[in-house]
Amino acid sequence: MPHDLPKWESVYTYFRAWEKDGTWINLNDILRIMDRVKVGRNEQPSAGSVDSQSVKTISGGEETALMVARRLKDASAQF
């Protein structure tokens, strides 16, 4: 860490707290919406695509993918 920043332990403590309470997800959602509006698009995308080579197909992966999708949906609903 650069010398003009707080001690790494302090930075890490805030990072973990914000990760746990959803601050990073919310911040990313807000920045994405602002960027889409800035370039003249709707706030929310109307379509998406998944590259089959990027999706893991191991056993149990479906549950993880559903949990991530639910978390993203819940986070988006807050706005």
Side-chain angles (χ1 to χ4, degrees), residues 15-34:
F15 171 80
R16 290 288 295 152
W18 293 343
E19 184 178 44
K20 286 182 180 180
D21 72 9
T23 298
W24 291 120
I25 291 173
N26 292 335
L27 181 61
N28 185 59
D29 288 342
I30 291 167
L31 291 174
R32 177 184 37 79
I33 289 169
M34 290 173 61

Side-chain angles (χ1 to χ4, degrees), residues 1 3 11 13 19 30 32 35 37-38 45-46 70 72 77 79:
M1 299 274 304
H3 68 280
V11 173
T13 299
E19 184 178 44
I30 291 167
R32 177 184 37 79
D35 188 51
V37 169
K38 184 178 178 180
S46 58
R70 284 187 195 125
L72 292 173
F79 299 102

